[in-house]
């Protein structure tokens, strides 16, 4: 009788971990569950990751990179207010499409030891906010934009809104537009 050889790969481990996070949330992921789904012994997982934290870090890093790529593509053809709105829409879409991983992007989970993901997130924000002129943290308007974006998404994922679908999308656009209108420096107002 031939022994069936399982082909486990780094990509397969991360993709399956990703699926489990989407269904159980980031705190619901265990090496044992992952091994069960992949039909391997838990020890086999450790050929690809050092620990659960390392696994989360690798998944997080991949997620942040995908979001960064999407955002870069989205805002490459636009500038000014249009870029600010495009960034907000794309960021929200990424969080909604991957609700299990959204806490990583919003950096809501302090118990996670995910240094590479955290570093990538900080880098993502710096890379994205600089061309949007949102990297100057001394400007209260920039804090308003970021707070509005993160706050809306946290409320949305948390189920705080009574409205849904198109109505919620319209509300998001209006709320973000209010924040974007505030990002203009007084000197900018004369240009409009």
């Amino acid at each position: 009788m031939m022994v069936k050889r399982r082909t486990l790969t780094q990509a397969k481990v991360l993709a399956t971990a990703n699926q489990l996070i989407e269904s159980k949330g980031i705190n619901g992921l265990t090496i044992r569950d992952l091994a069960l789904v992949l039909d391997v012994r838990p020890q086999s997982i450790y050929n690809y990751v050092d620990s659960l934290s390392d696994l989360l870090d690798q998944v997080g890093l991949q997620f942040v990179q995908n979001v960064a790529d999407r955002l870069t593509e989205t805002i490459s053809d636009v500038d000014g207010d249009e870029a600010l709105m495009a960034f907000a829409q794309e960021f929200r879409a990424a969080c909604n499409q991957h609700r299990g991983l959204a806490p990583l992007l919003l950096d809501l989970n302090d118990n996670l030891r995910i240094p590479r993901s955290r570093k990538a997130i900080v880098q993502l924000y710096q890379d994205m906010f600089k061309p949007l002129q949102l990297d100057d943290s001394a400007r209260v308007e920039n804090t308003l934009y970021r707070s509005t974006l993160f706050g809306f998404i946290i409320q949305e994922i948390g189920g705080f809104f009574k409205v849904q679908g198109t109505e919620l999308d319209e509300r998001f656009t209006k709320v973000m537009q209010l924040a974007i209108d505030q990002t203009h420096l007084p000197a900018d107002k004369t240009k409009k």
Side-chain angles (χ1 to χ4, degrees), residues 13-31 33-34 37 52-63 95 97-105 109 112 114 117:
V13 169
L14 294 182
T16 307
N18 228 319
Q19 290 167 350
L20 284 171
I21 289 169
E22 289 305 329
S23 62
K24 296 179 172 211
I26 205 154
N27 295 319
L29 181 67
T30 67
I31 296 288
D33 286 348
L34 182 59
V37 172
L52 181 59
S53 290
D54 180 48
L55 174 63
L56 288 170
D57 206 9
Q58 288 187 45
V59 168
L61 205 53
Q62 197 176 53
F63 176 57
C95 288
Q97 282 164 7
H98 302 282
R99 286 182 173 224
L101 287 166
L104 272 181
L105 271 188
N109 200 328
L112 299 178
I114 49 167
S117 295

XYZ file of all heavy atoms in Angstrom, residues 13-31 33-34 37 52-63 95 97-105 109 112 114 117:
359
model
N -0.319 27.005 4.223
C -0.454 27.261 5.668
C -1.033 28.660 5.889
O -1.991 28.838 6.652
C 0.902 27.101 6.408
C 0.827 27.627 7.829
C 1.336 25.632 6.415
N -0.472 29.668 5.204
C -0.929 31.050 5.377
C -2.346 31.251 4.839
O -3.158 31.918 5.476
C 0.042 32.031 4.701
C 1.445 32.115 5.300
C 2.277 33.156 4.560
C 1.413 32.419 6.784
N -2.645 30.654 3.690
C -3.985 30.792 3.109
C -5.043 30.170 4.022
O -6.113 30.749 4.240
C -4.031 30.146 1.729
N -4.729 29.015 4.583
C -5.676 28.335 5.471
C -5.822 29.101 6.786
O -6.932 29.245 7.304
C -5.240 26.878 5.723
O -5.034 26.240 4.464
C -6.292 26.108 6.495
N -4.711 29.621 7.299
C -4.757 30.436 8.524
C -5.644 31.654 8.272
O -6.472 32.020 9.113
C -3.351 30.870 8.925
N -5.497 32.244 7.097
C -6.301 33.384 6.680
C -7.786 33.054 6.709
O -8.593 33.832 7.236
C -5.912 33.740 5.240
C -5.647 35.202 5.055
O -6.375 36.023 5.590
N -4.623 35.511 4.313
N -8.156 31.913 6.147
C -9.562 31.473 6.116
C -10.092 31.274 7.535
O -11.220 31.656 7.835
C -9.710 30.173 5.323
C -9.491 30.350 3.839
C -9.323 29.017 3.105
O -9.183 27.960 3.712
N -9.329 29.086 1.784
N -9.277 30.660 8.391
C -9.702 30.430 9.784
C -9.899 31.751 10.517
O -10.842 31.904 11.291
C -8.692 29.549 10.526
C -8.742 28.063 10.194
C -7.567 27.328 10.827
C -10.058 27.450 10.662
N -9.016 32.709 10.269
C -9.146 34.032 10.900
C -10.440 34.696 10.429
O -11.157 35.299 11.225
C -7.915 34.921 10.595
C -6.699 34.402 11.360
C -8.202 36.371 10.961
C -5.377 35.029 10.944
N -10.747 34.556 9.145
C -11.977 35.151 8.619
C -13.218 34.544 9.261
O -14.190 35.232 9.507
C -12.055 35.014 7.089
C -11.073 35.905 6.332
C -11.155 37.388 6.651
O -12.243 37.901 6.968
O -10.109 38.046 6.607
N -13.172 33.244 9.535
C -14.362 32.615 10.112
C -14.409 32.673 11.636
O -15.479 32.763 12.221
C -14.492 31.162 9.632
O -13.386 30.403 10.068
N -13.247 32.642 12.304
C -13.237 32.594 13.775
C -12.708 33.856 14.447
O -12.687 33.948 15.664
C -12.360 31.421 14.242
C -12.875 30.063 13.834
C -11.935 28.979 14.319
C -12.552 27.621 14.093
N -12.124 26.662 15.103
N -12.207 34.781 13.639
C -11.598 35.977 14.213
C -10.139 35.722 14.545
O -9.707 34.574 14.643
N -9.420 36.807 14.725
C -7.973 36.699 14.915
C -7.599 35.969 16.206
O -6.586 35.300 16.279
C -7.314 38.096 14.812
C -5.868 37.954 14.387
C -7.468 38.891 16.087
C -5.336 39.152 13.675
N -8.465 36.094 17.217
C -8.175 35.414 18.483
C -8.622 33.949 18.478
O -8.340 33.214 19.406
C -8.835 36.153 19.648
C -8.232 37.544 19.828
O -7.027 37.714 19.723
N -9.073 38.530 20.064
N -9.333 33.559 17.414
C -9.838 32.192 17.337
C -8.894 31.226 16.643
O -9.178 30.035 16.544
N -7.780 31.735 16.152
C -6.834 30.891 15.429
C -5.944 30.112 16.394
O -5.350 30.693 17.298
C -5.955 31.746 14.511
C -4.927 30.993 13.664
C -5.617 30.110 12.623
C -3.982 31.963 12.991
N -5.867 28.791 16.201
C -4.921 27.971 16.969
C -4.152 27.081 15.995
O -4.650 26.763 14.908
C -5.633 27.056 17.997
O -6.406 26.078 17.286
C -6.519 27.842 18.953
N -2.964 26.684 16.399
C -2.143 25.784 15.582
C -2.865 24.439 15.427
O -2.894 23.845 14.354
C -0.738 25.579 16.212
C 0.047 26.911 16.251
C 0.038 24.493 15.484
C 0.559 27.439 14.938
N -6.169 23.792 15.454
C -7.256 23.911 14.470
C -6.720 23.968 13.044
O -7.284 23.365 12.131
C -8.096 25.172 14.725
C -8.995 25.038 15.941
O -9.146 23.913 16.456
O -9.553 26.071 16.372
N -5.638 24.717 12.876
C -5.015 24.846 11.560
C -4.555 23.473 11.059
O -4.822 23.103 9.914
C -3.843 25.827 11.631
C -3.101 26.131 10.332
C -4.038 26.710 9.277
C -1.957 27.106 10.595
N -7.582 21.320 10.009
C -8.120 21.701 8.705
C -7.188 21.248 7.567
O -7.653 20.806 6.518
C -8.366 23.235 8.626
C -8.728 23.663 7.223
C -9.462 23.645 9.603
N 2.530 30.599 17.174
C 1.252 31.188 16.768
C 1.439 32.671 16.458
O 0.904 33.188 15.478
C 0.194 30.991 17.868
C -1.200 31.545 17.571
C -1.798 30.924 16.307
C -2.136 31.316 18.750
N 2.222 33.362 17.285
C 2.495 34.789 17.035
C 3.179 34.990 15.685
O 2.840 35.903 14.937
C 3.383 35.372 18.136
O 2.666 35.458 19.342
N 4.131 34.119 15.382
C 4.838 34.206 14.099
C 3.867 33.968 12.945
O 3.911 34.654 11.929
C 5.989 33.189 14.057
C 6.756 33.246 12.742
O 7.113 34.357 12.301
O 6.995 32.175 12.143
N 2.968 33.004 13.116
C 1.952 32.720 12.096
C 1.080 33.952 11.859
O 0.869 34.371 10.718
C 1.089 31.526 12.514
C -0.113 31.205 11.614
C 0.332 30.822 10.212
C -0.941 30.071 12.228
N 0.593 34.543 12.945
C -0.232 35.750 12.837
C 0.553 36.884 12.184
O 0.015 37.645 11.384
C -0.745 36.181 14.211
C -1.825 35.298 14.824
C -2.069 35.680 16.270
C -3.119 35.380 14.031
N 1.823 36.978 12.540
C 2.675 38.026 11.981
C 2.832 37.842 10.473
O 2.732 38.790 9.700
C 4.037 38.023 12.672
C 4.717 39.390 12.640
O 4.068 40.381 12.238
O 5.892 39.464 13.029
N 3.048 36.588 10.045
C 3.196 36.315 8.612
C 1.898 36.600 7.849
O 1.917 37.204 6.774
C 3.613 34.860 8.388
C 5.053 34.573 8.796
C 5.482 33.168 8.406
O 5.212 32.729 7.297
N 6.136 32.472 9.313
N 0.774 36.175 8.410
C -0.534 36.426 7.795
C -0.777 37.939 7.743
O -1.210 38.475 6.722
C -1.665 35.713 8.571
C -3.035 36.204 8.122
C -1.571 34.204 8.392
N -0.489 38.607 8.848
C -0.672 40.060 8.935
C 0.159 40.804 7.921
O -0.319 41.714 7.240
N 1.414 40.390 7.794
C 2.345 41.018 6.860
C 1.835 40.892 5.421
O 1.833 41.864 4.659
C 3.711 40.344 6.994
C 4.941 41.109 6.607
C 5.004 42.456 7.327
C 6.190 40.298 6.925
N 1.366 39.701 5.085
C 0.821 39.439 3.756
C -0.412 40.323 3.497
O -0.550 40.922 2.441
C 0.445 37.955 3.677
C 0.256 37.408 2.297
C -0.012 35.907 2.345
O -0.916 35.453 3.050
N 0.758 35.147 1.602
N -1.277 40.404 4.488
C -2.495 41.213 4.392
C -2.157 42.697 4.195
O -2.684 43.346 3.294
C -3.354 41.007 5.640
C -4.595 41.870 5.690
C -5.532 41.836 4.670
C -4.826 42.698 6.775
C -6.679 42.625 4.731
C -5.972 43.483 6.834
C -6.896 43.446 5.802
N -10.989 46.529 4.940
C -11.410 46.150 6.299
C -12.707 45.346 6.278
O -12.862 44.384 7.033
C -11.563 47.382 7.191
S -9.999 48.133 7.645
N -13.914 43.566 3.669
C -13.726 42.287 2.982
C -12.988 41.283 3.853
O -13.112 40.085 3.665
C -12.963 42.487 1.671
C -13.844 43.032 0.557
C -13.026 43.598 -0.600
O -11.802 43.469 -0.638
N -13.696 44.244 -1.534
N -12.218 41.787 4.794
C -11.417 40.903 5.662
C -11.625 41.298 7.118
O -10.699 41.734 7.787
C -9.945 40.993 5.276
C -9.693 40.638 3.852
N -9.661 39.340 3.395
C -9.509 41.420 2.763
C -9.451 39.335 2.089
N -9.362 40.583 1.681
N -12.855 41.135 7.572
C -13.200 41.568 8.927
C -12.381 40.864 9.997
O -12.133 41.422 11.049
C -14.691 41.385 9.179
C -15.499 42.437 8.444
C -16.973 42.338 8.679
N -17.627 43.486 8.064
C -18.580 44.181 8.653
N -19.019 43.844 9.845
N -19.112 45.207 8.039
N -11.984 39.635 9.722
C -11.158 38.909 10.691
C -9.790 39.546 10.869
O -9.214 39.519 11.943
N -9.288 40.129 9.785
C -7.957 40.743 9.814
C -7.986 42.254 10.040
O -6.958 42.851 10.311
C -7.211 40.438 8.515
C -6.719 38.999 8.371
C -6.305 38.715 6.940
C -5.564 38.726 9.318
N -9.165 42.856 9.936
C -9.273 44.307 10.108
C -8.648 44.815 11.413
O -8.001 45.859 11.416
C -10.732 44.750 10.002
N -8.804 44.072 12.542
C -8.167 44.562 13.770
C -6.657 44.766 13.628
O -6.082 45.610 14.295
C -8.478 43.467 14.798
C -9.755 42.853 14.304
C -9.637 42.886 12.794
N -6.032 44.021 12.731
C -4.602 44.214 12.477
C -4.354 45.586 11.872
O -3.477 46.316 12.319
C -4.101 43.178 11.467
C -3.624 41.835 11.960
C -3.152 40.997 10.778
C -2.515 41.977 12.972
N -5.124 45.923 10.834
C -4.953 47.214 10.153
C -5.264 48.373 11.081
O -4.647 49.424 11.014
C -5.901 47.319 8.953
C -5.418 46.818 7.614
C -6.421 47.188 6.543
C -4.057 47.375 7.257
N -5.450 45.228 18.581
C -5.195 44.110 19.472
C -3.776 44.163 20.035
O -2.833 43.743 19.378
C -5.433 42.795 18.729
C -5.668 41.656 19.674
O -5.117 41.629 20.767
N -6.471 40.708 19.262
N -1.397 40.877 20.621
C -0.723 40.190 19.531
C 0.737 40.618 19.462
O 1.035 41.799 19.421
C -1.405 40.486 18.196
C -2.853 40.054 18.050
C -3.383 40.481 16.685
C -3.011 38.557 18.212
N 3.152 40.825 17.046
C 3.323 40.788 15.591
C 4.191 41.960 15.134
O 3.729 42.846 14.428
C 1.945 40.808 14.881
C 1.057 41.921 15.454
C 1.237 39.467 14.999
C -0.174 42.222 14.633
N 4.355 42.828 11.292
C 3.085 43.382 10.790
C 2.914 44.818 11.263
O 2.543 45.693 10.490
C 1.895 42.550 11.278
O 1.945 41.256 10.737
